[in-house]
Amino acid sequence: MRELASELRLRTRLEPLREPSTVAAGSPALFATPFLYVAGEQQLPPLGDAGEAQLGRFIDQGGMIVFDAADGGADPGFERDVQALLARILPGSPLTPVARDHVLYRSFYVLDEPVGRTRAFNHALGVQEEGRLKVLLVRNDLGGALARGPDGLHSFPCTPGGPQQREWATRFAVNILLYATCTDYKADRAHVETLLRTRRWR
Amino acid sequence: MERWRLVAGHVPDPLALTLLVVCLAIAVVEAALALRGAGPGRPALPRRTRLGLFTLRMLGLLALLTVGLELTLARETVRPVGPRVAVLVDASASMALADAERPGAKTTPRIDRLRSFWSAGAPARAAWREQGLSPGLRSFADRSRPIAETDADELKVPVDGPASDLARALAELAQAPDAGEPGLATDDPRPLAAVLVLSDGLFEGTGTYGQPAQDPLLLAARALGVPITTVSAGAPAIRDVAVAELHAGEFAFVENVTEFSADLIAHGLADTPVDVDLRRDGALVASTRVTLAADGVPVPVRFEVAPDRVGQFVHEIAVRPLPGEATLANNRRAFVVKVLRDKVRVLHVAGRPDWDVRALRTLLGRDPNVELLSYYILRSVEDADRDDPSAELSLIAFPTDELFKEQLGSFDLVILHNFDAINHQVGVYLGDIASYVQEGGALVVIGGDMGLATGDYPGVLATTLPVDTRRPTGTLTDSYRPALSDAGRRHPITAWLAALPPDWSTLPAFDSYNPVQLAPHAASIASAVLLTAQGGAPLLAIAEPGKGRSLVLATGATWRLGFAADLPLVDGARPYDLLWLGAVRWLLRDAAAERLSLETDRPSYLRGQPVTLRATALTPSYAPEPAVPLAWEVRPLGAVEPAPANNNSPGPPTFLLSEGTWTTDALGRASDTLPGRLPVGAYEAMAWRTGPSGQVDGPPPARARRVFLVDEPGHELARVDADPGEQRLQALAEATGGRFLRARDGDALPSSLPLAELGDEGPGLRIDSRRSVPLWDGPWALLLALIGLGGEALLRRRAGLR
């Protein structure tokens, strides 16, 4: 997220904190911002009843959670645990594919698919209710594509697309944050009409 | 009337009666022959003797007959029991119209013409009675009523009825005797033989009947089954203009052009120009001039208006009076229009996306009544310089000229959200935004690290804002808890906060603000500070510059009122929603922002219908407020308070019609129903909060207001021409076998009316009382018999007869 914050400052007018904060699910600090990024692989650690209840309130009050499967599609454990967690805190709200024409793919950049460190899945999953994405599950290790080591170099290679795929992953990460702050702004009629005109012209 | 009769108490059987008649006949014949004195075997007697013998014979026979038949003399009071004739006299307002035989001739009110006709017909009416007919008079307008016998000869009926519904009057005649209410024509059990209608023929719906088979008047007439004779009271020449048809919807949308139109129908005023006014709550809105057409030809008159504010208003289309008009009562028509806000059009411009922008966008976007147009600056010029030029972006140009010049007036609300206007070439439009506010627009400026912080609202725009925006304020990022000011406790935007602990301890703290100061001109634009930040710096301030409203929120942290771990709900709502919905309502002068509302169950009523008033009181957080003492009153629209006693100028009179007090129930509601006694006109009902004692401390409270109309059941005077009425009366008479007469032509009331065939129920008399004097039951009858028969025997003996 530190890398993403830096990219957002460079590419957009967003002014995220330079250092992301890490919070426990049951902590009041969870509500410091309405955006929560959860990355992991294999099993999701238990959050406890209080933690899960607070995550439920977080979403109900308008928060958005992005789950990022760091396995990049190699292990279904993380996704399975996320599904189970959501079944408890958002019963009856399953994860469904985010359609390609969703505003998430044009909230800043115009994108075609949610690539990350890997390109195992050509779509993201999400809980889409009340006109917004409450939860987004990215299974191509988005964080891995952006991660840098202490030496400033990228920690992991992006496969199969290499540096170009990393750029696309960065753009997708930017789009996620723009969507989180602007919601469906780019779905407004004025924008859609302008964009359609532009694309036709091209 | 009275009569005398001789009644037999005993009638013998036929054989005995035959014998009796034969005997009587023989006795009378023999006496008559003796009286003549001629004949064989009869001695010549003096005439006096013969006369005496005959008289005594008759006297004796009469006495015997009296006793034998037990004759009684009866004195009876009787009245005709034959069929009745229902006379229906039109008492609608059109009967007061004065018309004439030809243009320019002396006019006569129709009812006067009819009275002369009726008065001249007195002999004919007497002839009806002699025929056993019983005329019964009823007046009819919207319904029929009996005319007192004392008023019948002169037709003393007021002609002010709101409509003439002859079909209903005929239907009332046709009702079964026991089915009607007291006073109906059906109280009279006598059969109906004929109906006489005295009218101008301008019944409800005159001229609109297409199919005779479906004409309700003819259907009612045929159902009655008796001949209907009609008398036309009208004359062909009349001078008048009327607002005949009205075309106006019940709803209109503010700032949207809507059309109100009417058809004018004139008579005797062809090619005359006339001025027509459109008024709203009595105030002139527009005028136009039209030229009237030939008699009976509708002339449309249209007004296109764009209501400038929401609310409920009485509109009226009125034709300015012309000289010599038959009536002015039909020169105007009123109607109630509720002006609604179309979708609220909001322009939301933000200098950068952040959580505060997201919160406000989400709140506005989920309201289906808001048309939200957003422009957020997603990247700066520096960002663009760094970006890969080949990257396909979804960004669009910021159409400043279109938004802040061309379309600015179309917005109900403009929100500048942490927006550095000057950086984005909007500085040149700040004057336009200021004019927009002065002319009635609503503006919100929200702080953050740009805009207020960077001094982006200098110049003329600053004069419309309650805080000083001419200099950069910077941004302070200390955590703090806002404080509610005294004004804030009362203001609808923040009054709900007064119910919470005053130290803001139950609400999330804020983490940034712009340390603004109150503007030097704040007092001149009715500014008020509702919330303060640290050190008393204005945090939320409002103003009413010109016709518009402005609000400055010197922080971009209010999103925290909608997103916190232990966020309290106030009356079931998030504090963030309460704050912003209250702000938007106040900015837009939305009636829903008033915590007291008043409604009527309908916008207009027919005369006589009850009027129900309903009030709803809300708490500052817009939840139902129980146990609120309210006062209410109803008065004619435009009536004013009476002038003080020491003021010599009398001023317009006050017509307070009804008033009372309420206390709201658990759901914050209160209601009352006024009986239908209000006369025709426009009224306004008002309700307001009172203290426990009925008095209010401080300034007068805001009043909830509602207007309504009381109208006549029909539009009696919308058409005044007697010609179609005359044709209608003639058609009615022909369809039922009656006669058609014109009062103006000198036609006389016929002494012989066309009657229905009634058979055994024909003319007759009913005995109301009888007094009997028995002639046989006493000594006189016997004495007379002795005198008659004995005297004859003695006289015959003396005359030498056997």
Side-chain angles (χ1 to χ4, degrees):
Chain A
M1 292 305 292
R2 187 180 303 109
E3 300 306 321
L4 177 56
S6 175
E7 292 294 336
L8 285 168
R9 283 175 172 269
L10 287 172
R11 299 174 184 230
T12 75
R13 256 211 156 187
L14 274 177
E15 290 281 324
L17 295 176
R18 294 182 187 280
E19 286 295 323
S21 53
T22 303
V23 296
S27 167
L30 180 67
F31 287 83
T33 70
F35 182 80
L36 178 65
Y37 175 75
V38 181
E41 55 185 338
Q42 298 180 340
Q43 292 183 333
L44 194 66
L47 302 176
D49 291 343
E52 291 186 0
Q54 180 132 303
L55 276 183
R57 283 200 301 277
F58 178 89
I59 294 172
D60 284 346
Q61 289 191 16
M64 178 182 178
I65 304 177
V66 175
F67 290 100
D68 187 6
D71 56 72
D75 181 359
F78 184 77
E79 178 183 348
R80 185 179 58 240
D81 283 5
V82 169
Q83 299 258 20
L85 172 68
L86 294 177
R88 292 192 297 276
I89 65 175
L90 291 174
S93 303
L95 283 166
T96 57
V98 179
R100 190 155 295 182
D101 61 352
H102 193 279
V103 71
L104 178 67
Y105 295 110
R106 61 174 190 276
S107 57
F108 190 82
Y109 292 106
V110 178
L111 304 173
D112 290 327
E113 57 180 318
V115 298
R117 178 180 59 81
T118 66
R119 209 168 179 171
F121 299 95
N122 64 358
H123 63 274
L125 298 175
V127 174
Q128 303 169 71
E129 289 179 339
E130 300 168 5
R132 67 184 177 101
L133 268 174
K134 292 180 171 180
V135 175
L136 182 68
L137 172 58
V138 181
R139 295 174 290 178
N140 289 331
D141 188 18
L142 184 61
L146 274 65
R148 290 177 189 266
D151 54 2
L153 300 176
H154 288 291
S155 300
F156 309 103
C158 289
T159 57
Q164 191 173 6
Q165 181 175 324
R166 194 184 309 280
E167 171 60 21
W168 286 103
T170 305
R171 292 179 186 178
F172 182 55
V174 169
N175 269 23
I176 291 174
L177 263 295
L178 264 294
Y179 176 80
T181 50
C182 301
T183 65
D184 57 351
Y185 166 57
K186 282 298 172 182
D188 284 0
R189 193 178 65 189
H191 298 267
V192 172
E193 289 175 353
T194 303
L195 289 173
L196 285 176
R197 272 202 307 273
T198 307
R199 285 197 147 187
R200 276 198 297 269
W201 181 78
R202 281 183 171 181
Chain B
M1 62 183 181
E2 291 187 346
R3 68 176 183 181
W4 293 86
R5 281 208 307 154
L6 206 55
V7 181
H10 169 69
V11 179
D13 57 67
L15 180 60
L17 187 61
T18 303
L19 288 173
L20 181 63
V21 170
V22 171
C23 291
L24 284 174
I26 293 172
V28 171
V29 169
E30 195 279 334
L33 292 174
L35 180 61
R36 291 177 59 184
R42 291 182 186 275
L45 295 176
R47 174 173 175 76
R48 197 167 55 185
T49 302
R50 294 201 309 270
L51 193 59
L53 285 172
F54 182 79
T55 303
L56 288 170
R57 171 72 64 89
M58 291 299 109
L59 185 62
L61 289 176
L62 189 61
L64 283 175
L65 200 61
T66 299
V67 173
L69 296 180
E70 298 181 2
L71 292 178
T72 298
L73 187 62
R75 180 189 175 189
E76 295 174 338
T77 303
V78 297
R79 61 185 170 104
V81 291
R84 58 195 167 90
V85 175
V87 180
L88 298 176
V89 182
D90 192 342
S92 63
S94 66
M95 292 296 289
L97 296 175
D99 47 18
E101 289 284 347
R102 59 189 177 281
K106 182 176 180 295
T107 59
T108 304
R110 292 169 182 170
I111 186 63
D112 289 349
R113 192 176 292 122
L114 208 54
R115 283 169 179 150
S116 300
F117 170 85
W118 186 250
S119 177
R125 300 202 302 275
W128 297 351
R129 291 193 181 87
E130 290 171 5
Q131 296 163 24
L133 296 172
S134 304
L137 274 68
R138 299 180 68 81
S139 65
F140 73 94
D142 52 333
R143 58 180 307 168
S144 68
R145 296 172 180 81
I147 298 176
E149 285 191 17
T150 52
D151 298 330
D153 286 344
E154 299 179 18
L155 290 185
K156 287 183 181 174
V157 289
V159 283
D160 56 358
S164 42
D165 192 347
L166 180 60
R168 176 173 178 161
L170 294 177
E172 288 174 352
L173 290 177
Q175 287 178 6
D178 296 329
E181 58 187 274
L184 282 182
T186 50
D187 284 351
D188 193 335
R190 290 172 296 178
L192 184 66
V195 174
L196 178 66
V197 175
L198 311 177
S199 172
D200 58 6
L202 299 182
F203 311 129
E204 282 292 287
T206 295
T208 63
Y209 295 80
Q211 300 296 324
Q214 299 172 355
D215 184 340
L217 177 57
L218 289 183
L219 290 175
R222 289 187 176 125
L224 204 55
V226 300
I228 298 177
T229 296
T230 57
V231 180
S232 171
I238 190 167
R239 181 180 170 87
D240 188 71
V241 58
V243 181
E245 296 289 341
L246 199 59
H247 310 286
E250 287 188 23
F251 300 97
F253 293 98
V254 70
E255 303 295 352
N256 288 5
V257 174
T258 188
E259 181 180 288
F260 304 134
S261 64
D263 289 341
L264 307 185
I265 293 184
H267 295 88
L269 293 167
D271 301 325
T272 304
V274 63
D275 293 316
V276 188
D277 298 330
L278 174 69
R279 294 178 180 276
R280 184 181 70 181
D281 284 0
L284 184 65
V285 174
S287 291
T288 187
R289 173 168 286 198
V290 297
T291 301
L292 298 174
D295 289 5
V297 177
V299 175
V301 54
R302 295 187 178 87
F303 293 97
E304 286 190 344
V305 294
D308 60 352
R309 55 194 163 103
V310 297
Q312 193 202 29
F313 307 97
V314 171
H315 288 72
E316 182 183 67
I317 292 178
V319 181
R320 293 184 197 167
L322 295 170
E325 279 197 74
T327 178
L328 299 182
N330 57 6
N331 282 37
R332 56 188 64 226
R333 290 278 292 274
F335 52 99
V336 175
V337 176
K338 189 170 189 177
V339 180
L340 305 170
R341 189 178 295 284
D342 197 0
K343 276 197 166 187
V344 175
R345 202 165 146 81
V346 178
L347 175 62
H348 187 198
V349 180
R352 70 160 47 102
D354 60 24
W355 304 130
D356 205 49
V357 170
R358 173 185 192 264
L360 188 53
R361 173 180 172 78
T362 301
L363 180 73
L364 295 173
R366 74 181 181 215
D367 187 339
N369 294 317
V370 171
E371 182 182 351
L372 181 63
L373 190 60
S374 305
Y375 282 92
Y376 305 153
I377 307 301
L378 298 187
R379 67 173 183 174
S380 61
V381 176
E382 297 79 18
D383 300 328
D385 291 342
R386 286 191 293 266
D387 211 345
D388 176 4
S390 67
E392 188 178 359
L393 296 165
S394 65
L395 308 184
I396 63 173
F398 187 25
T400 51
D401 203 53
E402 185 178 356
L403 291 177
F404 298 107
K405 199 83 174 177
E406 299 169 12
Q407 299 292 326
L408 186 60
S410 72
F411 296 110
D412 299 295
L413 174 62
V414 174
I415 302 171
L416 303 180
H417 200 155
N418 192 29
F419 178 59
D420 46 341
I422 295 175
N423 270 350
H424 294 91
Q425 295 76 47
V426 177
V428 295
Y429 301 107
L430 295 183
D432 297 290
I433 299 174
S435 299
Y436 157 80
V437 176
Q438 292 282 353
E439 291 167 9
L443 174 66
V444 172
V445 173
I446 301 174
D449 62 331
M450 298 182 292
L452 290 176
T454 51
D456 275 79
Y457 308 122
V460 66
L461 182 62
T463 64
T464 66
L465 299 173
V467 299
D468 193 349
T469 60
R470 294 172 299 176
R471 299 177 196 83
T473 63
T475 308
L476 299 179
T477 54
D478 304 329
S479 178
Y480 66 99
R481 295 185 182 277
L484 186 64
S485 69
D486 287 341
R489 293 178 192 283
R490 296 188 300 271
H491 200 277
I493 296 177
T494 49
W496 57 276
L497 286 165
L500 302 177
D503 59 358
W504 202 271
S505 59
T506 57
L507 296 173
F510 289 176
D511 55 8
S512 66
Y513 71 98
N514 304 107
V516 295
Q517 295 181 335
L518 208 56
H521 56 269
S524 65
I525 57 172
S527 300
V529 176
L530 308 182
L531 291 175
T532 57
Q534 287 179 313
L539 186 69
L540 173 59
I542 57 166
E544 299 190 40
K547 298 178 182 176
R549 288 183 168 180
S550 64
L551 180 151
V552 173
L553 182 64
T555 179
T558 56
W559 66 274
R560 294 195 178 278
L561 293 175
F563 194 76
D566 50 356
L567 187 71
L569 297 182
V570 181
D571 290 326
R574 299 188 310 164
Y576 181 84
D577 297 359
L578 292 177
L579 177 71
W580 276 107
L581 291 178
V584 171
R585 285 169 176 163
W586 177 79
L587 286 159
L588 298 179
R589 301 173 191 272
D590 193 335
E594 308 302 333
R595 294 195 293 111
L596 177 63
S597 64
L598 183 66
E599 296 287 340
T600 54
D601 54 336
R602 60 182 73 170
S604 61
Y605 302 84
L606 300 181
R607 188 173 61 174
Q609 287 183 327
V611 178
T612 298
L613 303 176
R614 295 193 186 94
T616 304
L618 300 175
T619 65
S621 57
Y622 295 92
E625 186 174 10
V628 179
L630 304 173
W632 62 270
E633 68 179 31
V634 173
R635 62 175 65 189
L637 191 63
V640 298
E641 295 292 342
N646 57 358
N647 190 340
N648 291 330
S649 61
T654 295
F655 302 101
L656 189 60
L657 294 175
S658 192
E659 60 183 335
T661 57
W662 285 320
T663 301
T664 57
D665 63 11
L667 296 176
R669 302 171 306 185
S671 68
D672 222 324
T673 298
L674 311 179
R677 295 179 190 145
L678 295 177
V680 170
Y683 298 88
E684 62 180 347
M686 285 181 283
W688 62 96
R689 294 167 187 266
T690 64
S693 62
Q695 299 299 317
V696 180
D697 295 331
R703 293 187 169 204
R705 175 179 178 271
R706 185 62 56 183
V707 298
F708 60 92
L709 282 176
V710 176
D711 211 346
E712 295 286 12
H715 297 291
E716 167 69 13
L717 297 176
R719 289 183 171 83
V720 299
D721 184 18
D723 291 344
E726 196 166 284
Q727 294 166 11
R728 188 145 181 75
L729 289 171
Q730 186 167 6
L732 179 63
E734 291 171 354
T736 58
R739 291 181 59 186
F740 170 67
L741 308 167
R742 288 187 186 89
R744 70 172 192 275
D745 285 351
D747 288 347
L749 193 62
S751 55
S752 177
L753 281 175
L755 300 176
E757 183 58 50
L758 298 173
D760 294 340
E761 295 184 304
L765 295 174
R766 170 185 288 183
I767 301 170
D768 289 336
S769 65
R770 173 187 291 166
R771 183 164 161 250
S772 299
V773 181
L775 302 177
W776 64 278
D777 186 15
W780 293 106
L782 188 58
L783 186 59
L784 283 175
L786 285 174
I787 292 173
L789 299 177
E792 183 188 359
L794 288 173
L795 191 55
R796 291 178 67 89
R797 190 177 297 273
R798 287 186 58 179
L801 298 175
R802 287 179 295 167

